[in-house]
Amino acid sequence: SCYLVAEDNNRRIYVDAYYAYAYIKKGNYRKAEIYLRGLIPEFNKGNLGFVSKVYTFHAELKKALNEKDSAIYYYEQALETINCKT
């Protein structure tokens, strides 16, 4: 993993996002939540376009947890960030 080859201990936010996505697909929603925690502010801090993908991962998690309103919110946030970048 990227954590094993990194020379520092800094959090690899892109890696965390994809770990979360993999756990969502595996049905391990607790671990997905752990990996997603705090990612949006980190991506926003660096003004990185990848934040729309993280919003989508949040939406997928909320959808899997049958939290429809939260899922819609995160999908809307994903679309909003995409529209801001174009």
Side-chain angles (χ1 to χ4, degrees):
S1 122
C2 294
Y3 286 108
L4 296 177
V5 296
E7 293 182 10
D8 59 21
N9 289 327
N10 291 335
R11 184 174 182 198
R12 303 290 182 251
I13 57 178
Y14 289 98
V15 175
D16 284 357
Y18 280 109
Y19 268 126
Y21 180 72
Y23 281 120
I24 291 167
K25 291 301 183 181
K26 288 177 66 174
N28 191 336
Y29 306 129
R30 186 185 66 76
K31 277 204 172 183
E33 283 182 307
I34 291 168
Y35 277 102
L36 285 173
R37 191 175 299 137
L39 286 184
I40 291 171
E42 288 297 318
F43 280 103
N44 280 334
K45 194 175 3 176
N47 196 21
L48 304 170
F50 193 79
V51 73
S52 61
K53 193 68 170 170
V54 175
Y55 276 120
T56 301
F57 292 164
H58 272 282
E60 290 292 313
L61 174 61
K62 296 302 181 180
K63 180 179 166 189
L65 294 171
N66 293 317
E67 297 177 15
K68 183 180 177 182
D69 290 341
S70 291
I72 290 169
Y73 168 80
Y74 283 113
Y75 282 127
E76 287 173 348
Q77 292 300 306
L79 289 172
E80 187 176 310
T81 58
I82 292 167
N83 290 335
C84 288
K85 305 289 182 198
T86 58

